[in-house]
Amino acid sequence: MDLKKMVGIEAAKSVQTGMIVGLGTGSTAFYMVEEVGRRIKEENLKIVGVTTSKKTEAQAIELGIPLKSIDEVPYVDLTIDGADEISSDFHGIKGGGAALLFEKIVASYSKEIIWIVDASKMVKQLGKFPLPVEVVPYGSQQLLRLFEEKEMHPVLRKNLTNDKTLVTDGGHYIIDLHLDSIPDPLALGTWLDSTVGVVEHGLFLSMVNKVIVGYNDGPKILEVK
Ligand code: 5RP
């Protein structure tokens, strides 16, 4: 079975009736959302979903998953989402699918967070995957210059389908920093947090409770202490 599908289905087992569930974004989260939809139809599972992107929202509506916005719920019981890289100390990079802002907002109000990845996403140190930084369009060229000066190798993200600048669900741009390695994610995250014009960044530090990793011989569940 496809590793992304395997971990998506495995993670959906943690969803229980009565829960408010954060539904992540991306090609791995896609399978989890499909499985939650199947369980609603076939197993009478009763949940409320909170989506992290317009794309996941469209999928969830299609599947008949009842939805509320993050502002309509007091908290989220469990969020299941993908990730682009996870370090050996369980920090993560997210935002490859451009949904990092809404994903981080939903994650911030979640009691439990599960990340689902195939084994290739598990790394010793973060940084080979370009770090997405969501920025306000106004002044974004200045930010590109700033990141360039700091030798962070910034690239303004474009749509895959045309040459236009990608605009996120929140109406912002994404600058990908090609850093190669991030020896101190906390320091970098703190600096980005304090940089004017940066809305959010893809460093998800000390946020995850459980990681489900897909291997060819089955899923492995890693509990984060
Ligand atoms: C979207 C994300 C995704 O969860 C991340 O990019 C992983 O995606 P995929 O499962 O398609 O590899 O952070 O913003």
Side-chain angles (χ1 to χ4, degrees):
M1 188 194 280
D2 181 285
L3 298 184
K4 293 184 179 195
K5 188 170 183 178
M6 180 208 289
V7 292
I9 291 174
E10 182 65 29
K13 291 179 188 164
S14 300
V15 177
Q16 292 168 15
T17 282
M19 280 183 166
I20 301 168
V21 182
L23 302 171
T25 296
S27 57
T28 317
F30 171 88
Y31 290 112
M32 174 274 298
V33 177
E34 288 287 302
E35 178 64 3
V36 169
R38 185 198 67 74
R39 290 190 56 204
I40 287 172
K41 277 202 185 77
E42 297 177 12
E43 298 176 8
N44 202 26
L45 177 74
K46 294 207 183 309
I47 63 134
V48 169
V50 176
T51 56
T52 53
S53 63
K54 287 181 185 164
K55 200 162 183 194
T56 302
E57 183 183 32
Q59 184 192 7
I61 289 170
E62 183 77 24
L63 290 165
I65 301 176
L67 296 180
K68 284 192 177 172
S69 83
I70 189 65
D71 287 319
E72 293 171 317
V73 298
Y75 53 80
V76 175
D77 289 292
L78 167 66
T79 288
I80 304 171
D81 204 347
D84 298 302
E85 262 186 0
I86 304 175
S87 62
S88 50
D89 49 0
F90 295 105
H91 298 314
I93 288 182
K94 287 182 50 53
L100 69 100
L101 176 61
F102 290 3
E103 287 173 336
K104 203 180 263 191
I105 291 171
V106 173
S108 301
Y109 295 98
S110 298
K111 291 182 177 176
E112 190 186 357
I113 297 172
I114 299 176
W115 284 344
I116 47 178
V117 292
D118 63 66
S120 69
K121 308 266 187 84
M122 301 302 290
V123 298
K124 194 162 186 301
Q125 189 182 69
L126 299 178
K128 284 271 179 287
F129 192 91
L131 177 66
V133 180
E134 185 153 347
V135 305
V136 176
Y138 184 85
S140 55
Q141 291 301 317
Q142 294 292 354
L143 278 175
L144 278 164
R145 270 180 227 134
L146 175 71
F147 295 144
E148 197 66 68
E149 268 166 34
K150 293 191 173 290
E151 297 182 356
M152 297 172 118
H153 309 288
V155 176
L156 187 63
R157 200 183 295 184
K158 295 193 171 158
N159 293 315
L160 287 175
T161 46
N162 58 34
D163 210 32
K164 293 208 173 110
T165 303
L166 180 144
V167 178
T168 67
D169 288 351
H172 308 120
Y173 292 168
I174 290 196
I175 297 175
D176 291 301
L177 302 179
H178 292 250
L179 299 167
D180 198 44
S181 71
I182 304 177
D184 191 346
L186 191 60
L188 177 59
T190 305
W191 180 74
L192 288 168
D193 285 336
S194 69
T195 302
V196 176
V198 169
V199 180
E200 196 45 82
H201 55 79
L203 288 168
F204 282 53
L205 307 179
S206 306
M207 290 185 104
V208 72
N209 303 102
K210 196 189 280 184
V211 179
I212 304 180
V213 189
Y215 293 91
N216 287 328
D217 58 352
K220 192 170 168 191
I221 299 172
L222 307 175
E223 302 276 353
V224 182
K225 298 277 177 279

